[in-house]
Amino acid sequence: MANPAEKPDPNLTTPDEGEVREELEDIEEEEEDYEGEDDDEATASKPQSREDAAASRVNAQNLFRRMGVSPIPVRVHDVIVKGNEKTKDHVIEAEVDGVRHATTLQELLEAANVANFNLRALDIFDSVKITLDAGPPELPDTTNVVIKVVESQSPLTAQLGTSTKAEARSSSLEGSLKYKNIFGHGDIWDTSLAYGCDNSGEVGLGMYLPRLRGRPSPFTSRVYLSTQDWLKFSSYKERALGVSLGVLLSKNHELGYTLAWRNLIDPTQMASRTIRRQIGHGLVSDLKYTFKVDERNSALRPTRGYSFISTSQIGGLAPDSRTLRFLRQEIDVKYAIPLGFYRSALNFGVSGGITFPWGSGYKSRASSVSERFFLGGNMSPVCSLGGPSALWGFKTRGVGPNEPRREVEDDQSGGDTYERDFVGGDVAVTAFADLSFDFPLRWFRERGIHGHVFASAGNMAELSGNKYRNFTAPKFLETFRSSVGAGIVLPTSLFRMELNYCHILKKQEHDRAKSGFFLTFSTPSS
C-alpha cells in the first residue's frame, strides 16, 4: 500500500498558465464524461452552435488570463461522492477535506490534486475522478466537487517478493495475501509468510486502517509468530509470539507498541557463557517512538538531499518479573551532495546507538542479547535507514565482543572444535562515505548502471554487566574497524545490487572479515 508519508505537499506554489491550462482541460474532459453519463439517462441536448462554441473558447481564454494575473474567488458548495457501494462516505470525505477550505480556483485545483492522490493511496479503488460542476444559480462563484470512484473489482490480491534486512544474514522469500475494504472503512487485511535461507521464518496476520477514530493517523496491527536462527553466529535460536501496534501520528512521527513472548534456545549445547545465561523465556513489552525526515531524491541512488531518523525505545512496560527492561536509542544521519559531472554524488553518513538495562540492579545486570547491536552483513549503508548495522567487507555479526563456545568432542575427528560466539554490543557507531558516478558509455547510463568508490568504519563495545568501567573513548577509537573498496551498482525498482571489491584496512582479532569480491543485495529500509 502507498506510504502516507509520500503524499504531496498541499502548500504548493500557484501554477503557471500552462499548468493551469492543462489541468482545466483535464477537468473539462472529465466533466464532459460525467455530463455524458447524465445525458444517457436524460434526453440528449441539442448540439452546440458555432457561436456558442466560440463564446466558450473566449470565456476559457479569459479565465486562463485571469488565473495568471490574480486569484479567482470560488467557494465549494458541496462535495458529492458517487460509485462507492461498500466504502463509507466519511472515509472518502475525510481524504478530500482540503477542497472544502479552498477560497480560490487555484487553491481548489491544488486541493483536488492532493485529494486525488489521497484516495488512490488508500489502495481500495481501481480509479478516481474528481470533477468540478457549477454550483446553484442563486449562489454565484460556487462550485460542486464531484468525486467518482470505482471500487476494486478484485479485493483479494496476492504478492510474492524478496527482502533483505540489515540484521539478517541472507535474503528471505515473502508471500502475502491481502483482502481490501472488508468493512468499508478502507481497511486492508493481510496474511503473510516469510522464509529465509537461514531457516528463519515468520507467519503473520495484519490489519491496516487509514484513519484512527476519525483522525488522519494510519493505524496498523499485527499478530505474528517468528523464528530466527543465529546458531552459526551466536549459538542460539530465537522464537517469538506477539502482537504489534503502530500509529503514524504525522508525516514524521510514528508510535509503536510490541507485546511478545520470546524464547531463546540452544539446541547445540555449545553456547558461550553470556548466551547461556540468557537462554529461556522472556516477556517483551516495549514502546517505540520514531522521528523520521527523508528529503533524498531517491532511496536506491540518492544524489541530493538528506535524511535523519531517531528511534527511542523503552522496554519493560509490564509488571511481570520476566519482562525485559531496557532503554534503547538510535540515530542515523545521511547527506547526499551532487558534484555536477557524470551525475556524480557524494553520500556520507553517521549512525549511532546505545542500549542499557534499567530497574533494580541495572548496573550489574547484562542487557538482553536480542536488544544489542550487531555490525556487519555486507549491506549497503547508502539506501538503508536506521541505527548502526552495515559495514562493507565484514560478515553478519562478525564484529565486536565475542566469547569462546564450549569445547565439545568431535567423534569423527577425535579432536576438539573451538569456535566463538559474537554477543553484540551496548554501544555502536558506524560511518561511511560513498562517491557514485555514471559510466561514460550510454548503454550503462540508460539502464542506471553506475560505479562507486566507498569507505566505511565502525566499532562497538559492551557497557552493561559492570563492563562500562572498562570503557574509555581512546580505546574505543583505537579499535575501530575500517574498509575501502569500489564496485558496480545495478539499481532496480525493488533492490540495489552491488558487485564490490572490498579491502579491509583494519580489523581486530576474531573479526570475520576478509578482502575480496562480494555480491550484495540491499533493499531500502524505513
Side-chain angles (χ1 to χ4, degrees):
M1 66 191 71
N3 187 349
E6 297 176 355
K7 293 182 180 180
D9 186 358
N11 301 318
L12 302 174
T13 56
T14 303
D16 57 29
E17 182 176 345
E19 295 175 345
V20 170
R21 184 184 301 271
E22 293 178 358
E23 291 188 10
L24 285 180
E25 288 176 353
D26 293 339
I27 292 176
E28 289 176 356
E29 292 177 359
E30 293 173 350
E31 286 181 342
E32 291 175 359
D33 296 339
Y34 168 61
E35 293 172 357
E37 295 176 0
D38 292 342
D39 292 342
D40 293 339
E41 301 175 359
T43 305
S45 61
K46 294 181 180 180
Q48 190 179 34
S49 63
R50 292 184 178 180
E51 292 78 6
D52 293 338
S56 298
R57 285 195 296 271
V58 171
N59 292 334
Q61 292 173 358
N62 292 334
L63 180 61
F64 294 148
R65 296 191 187 98
R66 290 177 59 194
M67 293 183 66
V69 174
S70 62
I72 300 177
V74 69
R75 183 171 59 86
V76 176
H77 174 258
D78 195 11
V79 176
I80 304 171
V81 180
K82 294 186 175 183
N84 56 321
E85 297 179 0
K86 180 186 293 185
T87 309
K88 310 297 182 182
D89 284 350
H90 68 84
V91 175
I92 300 176
E93 293 174 354
E95 299 296 334
V96 301
D97 185 63
V99 301
R100 296 183 181 274
H101 306 293
T103 58
T104 66
L105 184 57
Q106 291 90 335
E107 292 179 0
L108 183 57
L109 291 175
E110 296 169 3
N113 181 48
V114 174
N116 188 291
F117 183 92
N118 291 348
L119 291 174
R120 292 180 183 275
L122 293 178
D123 199 25
I124 59 175
F125 301 119
D126 287 338
S127 68
V128 177
K129 288 186 178 180
I130 300 179
T131 59
L132 306 181
D133 197 4
E138 63 273 13
L139 297 176
D141 296 331
T142 62
T143 183
N144 292 330
V145 179
V146 182
I147 303 171
K148 185 177 181 180
V149 298
V150 177
E151 295 179 331
S152 179
Q153 300 299 316
S154 302
L156 189 65
T157 59
Q159 294 180 340
L160 185 66
T162 61
S163 67
T164 305
K165 296 182 180 180
E167 296 182 356
R169 67 178 184 179
S170 63
S171 299
S172 62
L173 180 66
E174 297 184 354
S176 64
L177 194 64
K178 296 182 179 180
Y179 198 97
K180 305 176 183 178
N181 210 19
I182 297 179
F183 300 107
H185 294 280
D187 48 299
I188 298 179
W189 300 76
D190 75 276
T191 58
S192 62
L193 175 65
Y195 182 78
C197 299
D198 56 354
N199 297 322
S200 62
E202 180 176 323
V203 179
L205 173 64
M207 184 269 291
Y208 168 86
L209 277 178
R211 287 178 175 264
L212 180 62
R213 299 181 64 87
R215 299 180 180 179
S217 301
F219 172 78
T220 60
S221 64
R222 189 162 202 83
V223 179
Y224 64 90
L225 173 64
S226 66
T227 177
Q228 197 72 256
D229 187 347
W230 299 117
L231 288 176
K232 181 178 179 181
F233 310 103
S234 304
S235 295
Y236 73 90
K237 283 187 176 183
E238 178 181 330
R239 296 172 181 171
L241 172 64
V243 57
S244 62
L245 308 174
V247 179
L248 187 63
L249 302 176
S250 68
K251 179 181 178 181
N252 306 117
H253 305 272
E254 184 175 359
L255 192 65
Y257 174 75
T258 300
L259 179 65
W261 188 254
R262 180 186 293 168
N263 184 24
L264 303 185
I265 61 175
D266 173 24
T268 64
Q269 301 297 315
M270 294 173 54
S272 59
R273 179 178 299 179
T274 295
I275 300 299
R276 289 200 307 268
R277 289 176 177 176
Q278 302 199 23
I279 295 300
H281 295 274
L283 180 64
V284 179
S285 176
D286 66 71
L287 188 66
K288 178 189 292 187
Y289 165 72
T290 302
F291 174 77
K292 175 184 175 182
V293 177
D294 191 357
E295 299 295 336
R296 299 176 300 170
N297 61 332
S298 172
L300 291 173
R301 187 190 178 184
T303 56
R304 66 176 181 274
Y306 67 93
S307 67
F308 173 82
I309 182 170
S310 171
T311 303
S312 304
Q313 192 173 1
I314 178 172
L317 305 180
D320 193 285
S321 60
R322 288 167 292 185
T323 303
L324 300 178
R325 292 180 170 85
F326 64 92
L327 301 173
R328 182 182 171 104
Q329 177 65 47
E330 299 175 73
I331 293 179
D332 181 85
V333 181
K334 290 182 174 62
Y335 206 95
I337 302 176
L339 301 182
F341 59 92
Y342 286 106
R343 204 187 167 203
S344 59
L346 176 63
N347 281 267
F348 59 90
V350 178
S351 301
I354 185 171
T355 182
F356 212 80
W358 66 272
S360 177
Y362 71 95
K363 291 184 178 181
S364 59
R365 190 169 66 248
S367 59
S368 171
V369 67
S370 300
E371 307 304 333
R372 293 184 179 182
F373 297 97
F374 292 88
L375 300 184
N378 225 25
M379 302 288 296
S380 173
V382 175
C383 59
S384 62
L385 287 179
S389 61
L391 205 59
W392 275 301
F394 290 81
K395 294 184 178 181
T396 301
R397 294 199 174 198
V399 181
N402 56 86
E403 295 180 0
R405 293 178 179 176
R406 283 181 176 178
E407 296 183 7
V408 295
E409 184 176 348
D410 190 336
D411 295 333
Q412 295 181 357
S413 61
D416 293 334
T417 59
Y418 185 75
E419 297 183 9
R420 306 185 72 86
D421 283 337
F422 284 82
V423 297
D426 299 307
V427 59
V429 178
T430 59
F432 80 94
D434 180 278
L435 175 63
S436 62
F437 51 88
D438 277 347
F439 291 117
L441 296 179
R442 180 180 177 183
W443 187 88
F444 289 102
R445 295 198 305 270
E446 290 177 346
R447 289 158 178 79
I449 303 174
H450 60 279
H452 73 144
V453 294
F454 54 83
S456 64
N459 200 8
M460 60 166 53
E462 291 182 281
L463 299 177
S464 59
N466 288 323
K467 294 184 179 180
Y468 66 92
R469 298 173 179 175
N470 301 324
F471 178 84
T472 61
K475 182 179 179 181
F476 186 73
L477 295 174
E478 183 182 347
T479 56
F480 250 73
R481 285 78 166 171
S482 59
S483 63
V484 296
I488 300 176
V489 182
L490 291 82
T492 69
S493 59
L494 299 178
F495 57 86
R496 171 188 173 108
M497 183 173 70
E498 299 180 6
L499 176 60
N500 297 325
Y501 177 81
C502 297
H503 176 69
I504 305 300
L505 294 178
K506 188 176 182 180
K507 67 176 182 177
Q508 302 300 318
E509 185 181 8
H510 305 302
D511 282 351
R512 294 172 179 168
K514 66 177 182 178
S515 301
F517 287 96
F518 299 90
L519 182 63
T520 64
F521 297 86
S522 304
T523 55
S525 58
S526 59

